Amino acid sequence: MPQNFFKDSGRIEMNWRRCLFVILSSMFYCEFLGDYIKLNSCSWPALEPNELHAMIIADTHLLGPFRGHWLDKLYREWHMRRAFQAALFLHRPDIIFVLGDLFDEGDMVDHDDFRAYVTRFYSHFRTNIPIISAVGNHDVGFHYKMHPYFMNRFEEQFNNTGVQMYTLRGIHFVLINSMAMENDGCEFCQTAVEELHSVAAKLHCLRNLNTCNDFETIKEHVNYSRPIVLQHFPTYRKSDRSCREHDSLRIEEYREKWEVLSKNSTDWLGKLLHPRLAFAGHSHHYCYSINRWGIEEYTVASFSWRNKVNPSFLMASLNPTKHSVHKCPMLEQPTVYILYIFTGCLCIILIIIDISKWLYSLVRRSKPLIKTQ
C-alpha cells in the first residue's frame, strides 16, 4: 500500500467536511437567515409621529388534507412561518390584517380538520400583536356555497364573517365579507347589507356630533374620519391592465363576483361608506390602482410560495387623514432553489475532482520504478 494512502484519504475526508459545511451554510441562509436579510431592506413609510403601523397580508392558503403533497405543505408553510416571524422581529407592527383565504380547504373539511387548521394557523402566525382576519371564499365558500355551518365555525375562531368596524387611534377600518356583496336577498347578503347600513349610520353620527344621540358610538369611535375598507375581493376592474403598478406576468380578464366585486356592488359600497383607501387580496398578485371610487386601492399578493414564487406583503403607515403604503418583497422561491442547486453541483464537482486526483496519485505510486542504466 502506498505510503501516503492514509494522508490522501484524510484530505478527501476533509473535503467532505468542507462540502458538508457549505451545504449546512446554504441551509441556514435559505431556511432562516435569508428572510431576515431580505426583509431588512423594507421599512415603514414615513408619515407623522404616532402613526399606526399596519402589516397587511393575504391568501396564506394553508393546505388541508385533500390537496397538495405533505412535503409541499411542510416546506412552504415553514417558509411562511419564518417570513412572518422575521417581519415581526424586524418591523414590529401595531396591527396585522389578513385579507381572507387563510385556509385552502376551509369550505371542504369537517369540524376536527377545521380545528386542526385553526391550531396550525395560530402556530405559524404566533404573535402578541392583534391579528384581524377578513373571511375569504376558501374559508367559507363562494356566494353559492356559503352555509351557516361554515360561517359559524369561522366566526367562533376569528370573530368576523360579515361586516365589522374597528377604530384604532382614530382610524376607522371596515372589514367586509366579499362573498355577501351580491345584493340578491340571500340570508348572508341581507345581513351584510344591514350591517353596512349600521356602519354608515355610525360614520354619519361621528361626522355630525352636534346632532348625534348615539352616545355608545361616540364613546367607542370618538371622532369621524373617512374609513379604510378591507376585504377579500378587489373592487371591480376588468383586469390588472388598469393597475398603475402590478407584478402579474400574465394578465387575465376578471369576472364579476368571482375575481372581483360586481360593478353594482362596488358603486353601492363607495356611495354608502365614502372610503379613503381600500385593500384586498384574492388575485394572488400585487396591484396598485385608482379604483372606481377614485381612491387608492392595493391588492395584496399571496403570502405563500404555493400561489406565487415572489410573495410580498404591505407595510402601511396610517393616521386619521393620511396614509403611506410600501410593498415589502419576501424571499423568492427561485433564489432558494437556485442556491441549493448551485451548492449541490459545487460539492459534487469538488468531490469528483478530489477523488480523481487521489486515484491518479494512487495509480502513479503503484507503478514499479524503472531504473535507467
Side-chain angles (χ1 to χ4, degrees), residues 118-307:
V118 173
T119 301
R120 265 172 52 218
F121 179 84
Y122 283 120
S123 173
H124 294 332
F125 302 100
R126 184 177 67 254
T127 178
N128 294 324
I129 299 167
I131 297 182
I132 299 177
S133 301
V135 64
N137 57 284
H138 277 270
D139 300 319
V140 298
F142 277 105
H143 172 265
Y144 72 92
K145 194 177 180 181
M146 283 192 301
H147 187 277
Y149 177 74
F150 298 138
M151 300 286 279
N152 290 340
R153 68 184 186 182
F154 192 91
E155 174 79 26
E156 288 175 3
Q157 299 296 333
F158 300 100
N159 300 318
N160 183 27
T161 54
V163 177
Q164 297 283 345
M165 178 175 168
Y166 301 89
T167 299
L168 303 168
R169 299 187 192 175
I171 307 165
H172 305 310
F173 299 94
V174 180
L175 268 72
I176 295 173
N177 179 346
S178 299
M179 293 74 67
M181 289 292 104
E182 295 202 8
N183 284 324
D184 62 356
C186 77
E187 176 185 355
F188 300 111
C189 299
Q190 186 61 36
T191 300
V193 168
E194 293 172 0
E195 291 170 341
L196 278 168
H197 280 292
S198 174
V199 168
K202 291 178 181 180
L203 292 170
H204 179 78
C205 166
L206 296 172
R207 195 173 185 177
N208 300 274
L209 290 174
N210 294 333
T211 59
C212 178
N213 295 321
D214 188 350
F215 300 110
E216 184 176 345
T217 293
I218 296 172
K219 180 180 179 181
E220 182 178 359
H221 303 288
V222 187
N223 294 314
Y224 173 78
S225 64
R226 291 175 63 189
I228 297 172
V229 168
L230 303 105
Q231 59 181 330
H232 185 57
F233 286 5
T235 58
Y236 176 79
R237 63 175 182 263
K238 290 184 178 180
S239 71
D240 283 352
R241 291 188 187 91
S242 61
C243 303
R244 299 190 175 189
E245 298 173 7
H246 70 84
D247 63 6
S248 175
L249 298 177
R250 182 177 158 196
I251 302 298
E252 299 179 357
E253 300 296 321
Y254 290 154
R255 300 168 296 170
E256 296 182 63
K257 305 178 183 181
W258 291 94
E259 285 83 36
V260 293
L261 292 184
S262 67
K263 286 182 185 178
N264 290 338
S265 294
T266 297
D267 294 342
W268 175 72
L269 271 175
K271 292 177 182 177
L272 188 66
L273 297 178
H274 302 288
R276 63 184 174 103
L277 180 64
F279 295 96
H282 190 52
S283 75
H284 298 170
H285 301 295
Y286 168 75
C287 168
Y288 163 64
S289 66
I290 303 299
N291 65 13
R292 289 175 65 86
W293 300 337
I295 64 172
E296 293 182 351
E297 179 171 352
Y298 292 86
T299 304
V300 188
S302 175
F303 200 71
S304 172
W305 276 358
R306 186 168 180 262
N307 301 317

